[in-house]
Amino acid sequence: MEQWIGVRRALLAGMAASMTFVAETHAGGWPLPAGKGEIILTGSRLTANERYESNGKKRWTSRYTKYEISSYAEYGLFDNLTLIGEAAWKREKTDFFGITFEDDGFSRVKAGARYAIGTWQETLFSVQTLATLHLDDAGDDPAATKSGDIDAELGLVLARNETLFGMNIFSVQEVAWRYRDRGRPDQIRADITLGGKPFDGTILLLKSLNTASVASTQSGELYRSSKLAISIVQNLPEHLAPGVALEAGMERTIAGQGTVADTTWRLGLWYRF
């Protein structure tokens, strides 16, 4: 029950905040017009040397580092149907009391779609499906994901935008069930993104990312993870690089159970066409 309480609190807090922060900027939860697309290339560095125990307290553990390069894409097939794809390569290293273990390779490919159902009370409702094929072992996954494992996700996406005190603000809320094969426990995911546009061409993003297993892993542990992420996206001048933006940000685990306590720094290149 404890992992459900943590996810529920984070979800309720994010939904309450999103009633205040709403926006005009179309991102994430909104469909792309037919024939339009977006590609985001991201490089990140994750580090962790602590782990959340089953009681939610942190303890020191071996140092884990992961470098990842990912390519995320969206494309508007129809005005209400957006295709989603992602591929990632990673290099990870674990320093276990002076003994170093290293691994690298393509880690996953992902494909799916988001279908916009319609708008109610100024909020856009969409259904999103995603399938992920894992291509390598995931060293930071407490469920011990292996190469060839498949995740299948079905979720509901709520997106809202408005203007507050003259600034464009938006919120995107995602709630999803993630099926995982080969005996790995299924997950519930609840993410909230709040964004604002303080200046023309600048977007500030604040995210609450929450995941919890619905059953114990093979080791007998339940796990959950709550992370906060912040980033800034800056458009480059149109006459120099039309449709191009740069992103810089970080992400940190703030609470958990049976998972690593990690910090991630990332840089991204956005291209809209």
Side-chain angles (χ1 to χ4, degrees):
M1 287 297 294
E2 185 177 346
Q3 78 276 16
W4 292 102
I5 293 173
V7 171
R8 185 178 64 183
R9 286 176 178 172
L11 179 59
L12 291 175
M15 294 181 71
S18 68
M19 295 177 67
T20 303
F21 294 97
V22 287
E24 185 181 54
T25 306
H26 286 216
W30 283 267
L32 293 176
K36 297 294 184 179
E38 181 174 71
I39 298 174
I40 302 175
L41 298 176
T42 303
S44 64
R45 180 179 184 268
L46 178 153
T47 58
N49 55 17
E50 291 182 304
R51 174 182 172 84
Y52 287 98
E53 297 282 71
S54 58
N55 59 8
K57 295 182 179 181
K58 289 192 291 186
R59 69 168 176 85
W60 184 88
T61 186
S62 54
R63 183 171 180 82
Y64 174 76
T65 305
K66 180 172 73 173
Y67 299 91
E68 183 175 273
I69 298 174
S70 65
S71 175
Y72 175 86
E74 291 192 357
Y75 180 78
L77 186 62
F78 305 110
D79 285 341
N80 60 350
L81 180 63
T82 299
L83 302 181
I84 302 169
E86 183 184 29
W89 178 92
K90 56 90 174 174
R91 170 177 289 171
E92 59 183 2
K93 180 174 68 174
T94 302
D95 184 357
F96 184 72
F97 301 103
I99 302 175
T100 300
F101 301 91
E102 296 188 24
D103 186 31
D104 62 64
F106 285 98
S107 56
R108 67 182 181 275
V109 292
K110 183 181 298 185
R114 185 171 60 250
Y115 178 76
I117 301 172
T119 301
W120 181 72
Q121 295 291 317
E122 300 182 352
T123 299
L124 177 66
F125 288 76
S126 301
V127 174
Q128 181 170 282
T129 59
L130 291 171
T132 303
L133 172 63
H134 296 277
L135 303 175
D136 202 357
D137 298 353
D140 58 341
D141 185 352
T145 292
K146 303 294 184 182
S147 177
D149 288 350
I150 296 175
D151 301 345
E153 182 176 297
L154 177 63
L156 179 66
V157 181
L158 284 66
R160 181 180 174 92
N161 62 67
E162 205 170 291
T163 301
L164 182 65
F165 301 124
M167 184 170 67
N168 297 329
I169 311 292
F170 68 86
S171 69
V172 178
Q173 303 160 28
E174 300 183 38
V175 180
W177 182 282
R178 182 180 294 156
Y179 164 78
R180 313 185 87 190
D181 68 351
R182 299 191 185 181
R184 296 171 300 140
D186 293 354
Q187 297 176 338
I188 281 188
R189 180 174 65 86
D191 297 344
I192 296 99
T193 299
L194 305 176
K197 188 178 179 182
F199 314 104
D200 286 342
T202 302
I203 300 176
L204 296 176
L205 297 173
L206 176 64
K207 299 181 180 182
S208 173
L209 310 171
N210 307 278
T211 304
S213 65
V214 300
S216 300
T217 64
Q218 293 182 353
S219 64
E221 282 191 320
L222 290 170
Y223 67 90
R224 63 179 174 87
S225 173
S226 294
K227 300 182 179 184
L228 283 181
I230 186 171
S231 64
I232 181 171
V233 182
Q234 178 63 55
N235 288 344
L236 298 183
E238 281 292 317
H239 65 281
L240 295 178
V244 177
L246 298 178
E247 178 184 13
M250 64 91 65
E251 175 184 304
R252 184 175 179 85
T253 304
I254 59 171
Q257 180 181 0
T259 189
V260 295
D262 61 77
T263 300
T264 302
W265 297 89
R266 60 170 45 89
L267 293 174
L269 175 67
W270 297 36
Y271 175 61
R272 308 176 185 94
F273 59 92

